[in-house]
């Protein structure tokens, strides 16, 4: 009757049936080793034992090694999956970018056509506006010249009028009556007389002296007014001409401003169209650059994709087979130490047969040495004095990986030399 063993209360990546088979097979491993211990003594007279402590160490070792290897394989698998996912994202991105680029190039053609049409309109309107501007500018320049000339004439008239203003005001203050040129001509013979003045008049006849002064003032007012009136008339004429010229100048400036505004509006339309076109160009170029980079990545990693895909599948298989591989590795560490190479191989064969019967998956090409230690560590052990044969390397693995301290049977002292060299920097204490 087959022994029943407690369930393994630890997560392993397998079905419940396989997990229970592992629990049962662990017990079977111990039973197989116990049988071979007897056989080994009968053949080589070397006694070895397995105890419940051995079985507990076997279980503890299995948990530790499975956790370590599962994390390692899981990490590598995740990296491969991440790499493949990135490649797939890049492929999807290239396809999407390719479609976007086609649409963007279509939009760019439309925008280019629109920009060309606006440019043609701008050119035509600019030429027309420039022509009008030139014509208006001529009118403006002419009007400005007239304004400038009139301003000079007006300034001259104002200067003369200003010069005559004191005399005019003095004459106007003397009298408020009008006087004609005929009257002035009749008075001229008297006015030209040397003694026709207010002082003489007062001496001759004081009562009529005021009449003498009045006639002189009338003649003086007439002379001043005769000179000022044309100046006033000319000033009024110049002011009229100036107002007309200024109106023409203002109208010309309005036309010029309107044409400039029209030209600015069309220029703004063109600038907007060119800005839109440039934005589409930049967007399309960025899209093309992304697509080229993604394509280069995909092409550069084309071979890697196949390898990563295969590796990813291999990692999945490793995870599936890990439950059995760790069982063999832990059995090797827990039980193989006392046996020679022949019996170690025999135990592995018997264990694999039992695992096949229990349908526990494992790798057919499993290399326990490669699973438990890397080549760099083995090379370091060899430099430290450990022989390079398979049995010695297995012994080195058991010494460094087993959960319990081993007792070395070392007639040639090779193991002692290796341990001393290996641990000399770790405070190793040696008792003679």
């Amino acid at each position: 009757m087959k022994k029943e063993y407690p369930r393994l209360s630890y997560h392993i990546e397998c079905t419940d049936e396989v997990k229970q088979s592992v629990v049962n097979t662990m017990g079977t491993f111990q039973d197989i080793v116990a049988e071979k211990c007897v056989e080994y003594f009968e053949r080589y007279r070397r006694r070895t034992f397995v105890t419940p402590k051995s079985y507990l160490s076997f279980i503890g070792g299995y948990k530790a090694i499975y956790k370590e290897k599962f994390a390692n394989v899981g990490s590598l698998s995740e990296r491969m999956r991440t790499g493949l996912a990135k490649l797939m994202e890049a492929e999807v991105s290239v396809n999407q970018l390719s479609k976007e680029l086609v649409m963007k190039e279509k939009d760019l053609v439309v925008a280019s056509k629109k920009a060309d049409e606006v440019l043609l309109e701008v050119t035509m309107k600019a030429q027309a506006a420039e022509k009008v501007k030139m014509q208006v500018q001529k009118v403006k320049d002419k009007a400005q010249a007239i304004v400038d000339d009139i301003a000079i004439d007006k300034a001259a008239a104002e200067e003369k009028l200003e010069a005559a203003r004191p005399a005019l005001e003095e004459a106007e203050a003397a009298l408020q009556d009008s006087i004609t040129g005929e009257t002035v001509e009749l008075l001229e013979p008297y006015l030209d007389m040397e003694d026709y003045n207010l002082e003489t008049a007062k001496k001759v006849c004081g009562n009529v002296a005021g009449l003498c002064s009045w006639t002189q003032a009338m003649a003086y007012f007439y002379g001043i007014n005769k000179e000022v009136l044309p100046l006033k008339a000319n000033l009024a004429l110049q002011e009229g001409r100036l107002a007309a010229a200024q109106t023409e100048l203002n109208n010309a400036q309005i036309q010029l401003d309107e044409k400039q505004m029209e030209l600015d509006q069309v220029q703004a339309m063109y600038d907007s169209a060119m800005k839109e076109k440039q934005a589409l160009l930049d967007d399309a170029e960025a899209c093309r650059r992304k697509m080229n980079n993604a394509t280069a990545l995909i092409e550069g990693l084309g071979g890697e994709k196949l390898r990563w895909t295969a590796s990813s599948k291999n990692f999945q298989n490793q995870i599936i087979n890990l439950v059995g591989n760790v069982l063999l590795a832990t059995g090797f560490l827990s039980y193989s130490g006392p046996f020679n190479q022949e019996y170690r191989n025999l135990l592995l064969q018997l264990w694999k047969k039992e695992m096949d019967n229990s349908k526990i998956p494992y790798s057919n090409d499993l290399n326990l040495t490669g699973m438990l230690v890397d080549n760099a560590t083995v090379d370091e052990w060899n430099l430290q004095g450990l022989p390079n044969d398979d049995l010695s390397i297995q012994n080195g693995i058991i010494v460094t990986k087993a959960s319990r301290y081993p007792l070395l049977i070392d007639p040639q002292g090779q193991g002692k030399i290796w341990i001393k060299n290996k641990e000399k920097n770790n405070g190793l204490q040696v008792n003679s």
Side-chain angles (χ1 to χ4, degrees):
M1 183 177 178
K2 200 168 186 178
K3 294 181 181 179
E4 291 292 335
Y5 295 91
R7 296 178 64 85
L8 184 65
S9 58
Y10 185 77
H11 173 72
I12 55 177
E13 197 74 14
C14 64
T15 64
D16 290 338
E17 291 77 8
V18 171
K19 188 174 184 179
Q20 186 59 46
S21 296
V22 170
V23 173
N24 296 334
T25 303
M26 282 182 166
T28 304
F29 274 26
Q30 171 114 341
D31 294 342
I32 291 174
V33 175
E35 294 174 3
K36 293 304 171 185
C37 285
V38 176
E39 182 181 315
Y40 193 68
F41 175 75
E42 292 175 351
R43 184 171 177 181
Y44 294 105
R45 311 307 297 175
R46 295 180 183 175
R47 190 174 298 280
T48 184
F49 304 94
V50 289
T51 64
K53 178 67 174 176
S54 302
Y55 183 68
L56 294 176
S57 298
F58 181 27
I59 295 175
Y62 183 90
K63 291 180 179 180
I65 294 176
Y66 186 89
K67 181 178 180 180
E68 174 191 348
K69 295 303 178 181
F70 182 82
N72 182 48
V73 175
S75 175
L76 294 175
S77 178
E78 182 62 26
R79 288 170 58 186
M80 288 298 172
R81 283 198 300 267
T82 301
L84 287 172
K86 293 296 182 183
L87 280 179
M88 292 178 65
E89 288 177 8
E91 291 176 351
V92 173
S93 177
V94 166
N95 294 332
Q96 184 63 30
L97 288 172
S98 179
K99 295 177 182 178
E100 290 181 6
L101 186 59
V102 171
M103 298 301 298
K104 291 180 187 298
E105 288 178 343
K106 289 181 180 179
D107 294 339
L108 187 59
V109 171
V110 174
S112 297
K113 184 178 179 181
K114 178 181 177 181
D116 293 339
E117 291 174 352
V118 174
L119 178 59
L120 180 61
E121 183 181 359
V122 169
T123 303
M124 294 174 61
K125 290 190 175 183
Q127 291 174 350
E130 193 63 32
K131 184 176 180 181
V132 173
K133 281 177 64 177
M134 292 176 64
Q135 294 173 352
V136 172
Q137 190 65 47
K138 289 180 180 179
V139 174
K140 180 182 176 183
D141 293 342
K142 182 180 178 181
Q144 188 63 53
I146 294 174
V147 168
D148 294 342
D149 291 342
I150 293 174
I152 294 173
D153 293 343
K154 180 184 176 183
E158 288 178 341
E159 183 179 0
K160 289 181 179 180
L161 185 61
E162 191 65 26
R165 189 177 302 280
L168 180 62
E169 290 176 350
E170 182 180 348
E172 287 179 344
L175 68 162
Q176 302 301 327
D177 297 334
S178 62
I179 187 171
T180 64
E182 181 181 358
T183 303
V184 174
E185 288 179 1
L186 291 174
L187 288 174
E188 280 183 356
Y190 300 100
L191 294 173
D192 291 338
M193 292 180 182
E194 183 177 351
D195 57 354
Y196 190 81
N197 52 58
L198 181 62
E199 288 76 13
T200 304
K202 285 181 178 180
K203 292 177 181 180
V204 176
C205 183
N207 295 329
V208 296
L211 182 61
C212 177
S213 176
W214 179 78
T215 56
Q216 285 181 328
M218 287 183 63
Y220 180 70
F221 174 78
Y222 176 80
I224 293 297
N225 199 41
K226 183 179 179 180
E227 183 179 352
V228 168
L229 285 177
L231 290 177
K232 287 183 176 180
N234 183 53
L235 181 59
L237 177 63
Q238 298 301 334
E239 286 178 344
R241 290 180 59 203
L242 179 61
Q246 191 64 50
T247 299
E248 185 177 4
L249 179 61
N250 292 339
N251 291 336
Q253 186 62 50
I254 291 173
Q255 293 182 37
L256 191 62
D257 292 342
E258 289 176 350
K259 288 300 177 182
Q260 186 61 50
M261 185 182 298
E262 181 180 339
L263 185 60
D264 291 342
Q265 290 175 347
V266 177
Q267 184 65 43
M269 290 172 55
Y270 176 70
D271 292 341
S272 177
M274 288 302 296
K275 184 178 181 180
E276 180 182 357
K277 178 182 177 180
Q278 188 60 46
L280 287 172
L281 275 172
D282 295 341
D283 194 19
E285 182 59 29
C287 181
R288 186 179 292 106
R289 187 165 53 251
K290 289 180 181 178
M291 187 178 72
N292 291 338
N293 291 339
T295 301
L297 175 65
I298 292 172
E299 291 177 352
L301 296 178
E304 293 298 314
K305 180 182 179 181
L306 297 176
R307 187 177 68 83
W308 290 354
T309 302
S311 297
S312 181
K313 293 180 179 178
N314 183 48
F315 285 135
Q316 294 302 315
N317 291 332
Q318 286 186 41
I319 291 176
I320 293 173
N321 293 332
L322 193 61
V323 59
N325 293 344
V326 172
L327 190 60
L328 291 171
T330 311
F332 169 78
L333 291 174
S334 300
Y335 298 115
S336 296
F339 298 99
N340 60 20
Q341 188 69 65
E342 177 186 352
Y343 267 74
R344 290 179 181 180
N345 293 334
L346 178 60
L347 286 174
L348 286 174
Q349 292 174 5
L350 295 173
W351 291 341
K352 288 180 180 180
K353 182 178 179 180
E354 181 62 27
M355 290 168 65
D356 289 335
N357 294 335
S358 300
K359 295 182 172 51
I360 298 175
Y362 65 91
S363 301
N364 292 323
D365 57 350
L366 176 64
N367 182 344
L368 288 177
T369 299
M371 179 180 177
L372 294 172
V373 70
D374 56 75
N375 292 331
T377 301
V378 173
D379 292 339
E380 185 178 3
W381 289 350
N382 295 152
L383 292 175
Q384 292 167 346
L386 184 70
N388 197 29
D389 60 279
D390 291 340
L391 182 63
S392 296
I393 293 173
Q394 289 179 359
N395 290 338
I397 293 172
I398 294 172
V399 168
T400 56
K401 298 286 186 179
S403 59
R404 293 182 293 171
Y405 292 107
L407 177 64
L408 300 185
I409 301 174
D410 186 30
Q412 298 179 358
Q414 294 173 324
K416 182 179 180 180
I417 294 173
W418 169 62
I419 291 177
K420 283 184 176 182
N421 290 332
K422 182 177 182 302
E423 301 296 332
K424 66 180 180 181
N425 296 325
N426 297 324
L428 177 68
Q429 295 181 3
V430 179
N431 295 324
S432 300

